[in-house]
Amino acid sequence: MDRLGGHHVWTVTRDGEEGPWVVHAVTGADGGEERAVRVRARAVLLATGAYERQLPFPGWTLPGVVGAGGAQAMLKSGLVLPGRRVVVAGSGPLLLAVAASLAAAGATVPAVVEASAYTPYARELPALARNPGKLGEGALYGGGLLRHRVRLLTRHAVTAAHGSDRVEAVTVSRLDRDWRPVPGSDRRVPCDALAVGHGLVPQLELATGLGCATRRTADGTLALDLDPAQRTSVPGIWAAGETGGIGGAQLALAEGELAAASIAYELKGTPRPRWAAARVRRRARLRRFAEAMAAAHRPGDGWTGWLDDATLVCRCEEVPAGRIKEAVAELGASDARTVKLLTRAGMGWCQGRMCGHAVACLAGGAPGEERRPLSCPVELGHLAQLPPSAG
């Protein structure tokens, strides 16, 4: 088996109607000379992971405002703190891990600001009971916050960041059940960094570009619709991990093992391994917990009340919320695609990964399925090398 590291897969095509799959990748992502690589395969397993969901607010483009996952990556990769006094905000269990890690590394964390409440977990006691390891993780992070005297504010959100050259303080507001700020509840918290994120979104460009079917998850995001063997709706394409719904490393590992066993069984006729049944049960248990977690931290519709007309929603194209509202109210845009055509929101470098959810919400709907021929930027020369049948 060959392992090709440092490669970016930008598209997957098929050599004829019944021919093998062709995986197109480029090297040079680390700054070296870029070159094209093609791998032919009878089956493809997609494990493309996820990216952070960001909900904009006034001041979120200030230096010192970073993603919660980004802050954790900075700490893990180089023991770099985003600041000395860091507010951690957003929604989801990742916030507890990030805050505990920052505090343990020497940062002062004035508060963890969680937009949701943890009470919905009480309705999922069977799922919690079947996943004692997850409860142990939560207790571990909670203990770390207690040791460092980090305050946990639930049903609160950072609704504005303030500063000139970088963030100097944030406004924290109490939220109602729909995530609308409660009038008169604002407080200002001094800080020199803000780590913020509202959960993760499956990265599906390769899969949807191939026509793989999707489903709506409990937190409103799209994930791949997979059968018990991790097959997608497209024959010859399997998927595992966050592509099937956000669930964490343990679930991704169980799904990857099941997908690999399924591929081996289908292509070579090898016997199903004895451990497969146990992995199926483990996957079901972990997936049930993931669904409970997604439901508990689903963003409420009222978060758009944080925005003023000048708040940038699409950072790449510098499109403010007021222009998007104008496209909806005055120009008749009724979905994110029409807003995109009228305002250029989502047409920039990130292709809507940062602003797509926000644009869809401001347009009055949920984020839709995007089918792009490319999953990452690629030189025109590589596109020219594609056979006509792949275009």
Side-chain angles (χ1 to χ4, degrees):
M1 180 182 68
D2 295 331
R3 178 187 179 277
L4 303 179
H7 289 60
H8 280 191
V9 176
W10 55 275
T11 194
V12 179
T13 61
R14 191 151 208 174
D15 191 357
E17 292 185 5
E18 301 296 332
W21 294 103
V22 183
V23 179
H24 300 265
V26 292
T27 62
D30 55 357
E33 182 179 356
E34 183 175 297
R35 62 185 181 89
V37 176
R38 297 180 188 177
V39 178
R40 297 168 71 86
R42 294 168 60 193
V44 176
L45 170 57
L46 300 176
T48 46
Y51 54 91
E52 275 194 281
R53 172 168 50 198
Q54 295 292 341
L55 304 181
F57 52 87
W60 76 305
T61 57
L62 280 171
V65 180
V66 300
Q72 191 177 47
M74 291 169 63
L75 195 57
K76 287 184 175 180
S77 62
L79 294 177
V80 176
L81 291 171
R84 301 305 305 176
R85 185 177 174 87
V86 188
V87 172
V88 178
S91 187
L94 177 63
L95 302 185
L96 300 180
V98 171
S101 298
L102 290 172
T108 299
V109 182
V112 175
V113 185
E114 166 64 65
S116 298
Y118 290 103
T119 50
Y121 283 98
R123 297 193 293 267
E124 303 292 344
L125 291 179
L128 298 178
R130 288 194 293 268
N131 290 274
K134 296 293 185 181
L135 294 177
E137 286 182 30
L140 179 65
Y141 296 138
L145 298 184
L146 287 173
R147 285 195 302 274
H148 292 94
R149 299 181 180 179
V150 177
R151 188 176 182 185
L152 175 61
L153 299 174
T154 60
R155 290 281 183 209
H156 284 71
V158 168
T159 53
H162 313 280
S164 51
D165 296 331
R166 67 174 289 121
V167 62
E168 298 170 1
V170 296
T171 294
V172 176
S173 306
R174 185 158 56 87
L175 305 180
D176 65 16
R177 291 186 177 276
D178 292 322
W179 287 32
R180 294 183 180 86
V182 175
S185 66
D186 297 351
R187 70 181 80 175
R188 185 171 289 213
V189 179
C191 62
D192 62 1
L194 168 64
V196 59
H198 294 84
L200 300 173
V201 179
Q203 188 156 311
L204 304 180
E205 290 91 346
L206 282 175
T208 54
L210 291 168
C212 298
T214 59
R215 64 181 179 89
R216 189 74 61 179
T217 66
D219 67 347
T221 60
L222 288 174
L224 294 182
D225 190 7
L226 305 174
D227 74 1
Q230 300 296 131
R231 297 186 190 89
T232 70
S233 62
V234 177
I237 303 293
W238 280 256
E242 313 291 34
T243 54
I246 306 303
Q250 294 178 355
L251 177 58
L253 180 61
E255 290 184 343
E257 291 172 340
L258 286 170
S262 174
I263 292 170
Y265 177 81
E266 186 157 318
L267 297 186
K268 298 183 178 180
T270 57
R272 295 186 187 275
R274 293 181 177 179
W275 48 255
R279 294 295 192 280
V280 169
R281 292 192 296 271
R282 184 167 184 252
R283 177 187 57 192
R285 172 171 55 82
L286 291 168
R287 178 58 68 193
R288 185 70 191 91
F289 180 85
E291 290 171 355
M293 181 176 64
H297 297 282
R298 180 188 178 103
D301 295 337
W303 72 266
T304 55
W306 311 348
L307 307 177
D308 56 35
D309 286 348
T311 304
L312 285 183
V313 174
C314 175
R315 301 171 66 147
C316 299
E317 295 294 321
E318 298 185 345
V319 181
R323 195 185 308 170
I324 296 174
K325 294 175 182 177
E326 179 185 14
V328 174
E330 299 182 19
L331 302 180
S334 59
D335 55 48
R337 179 174 177 80
T338 307
V339 169
K340 181 178 180 178
L341 294 172
L342 292 171
T343 68
R344 294 191 59 82
M347 288 189 178
W349 181 262
C350 82
Q351 286 293 286
R353 289 183 181 90
M354 289 287 286
C355 69
H357 182 90
V359 171
C361 290
L362 289 171
E369 180 180 298
E370 298 244 9
R371 295 195 175 184
R372 300 188 181 98
L374 311 178
S375 67
C376 66
V378 64
E379 293 180 357
L380 288 176
H382 300 321
L383 293 178
Q385 296 173 18
L386 287 174
S389 60

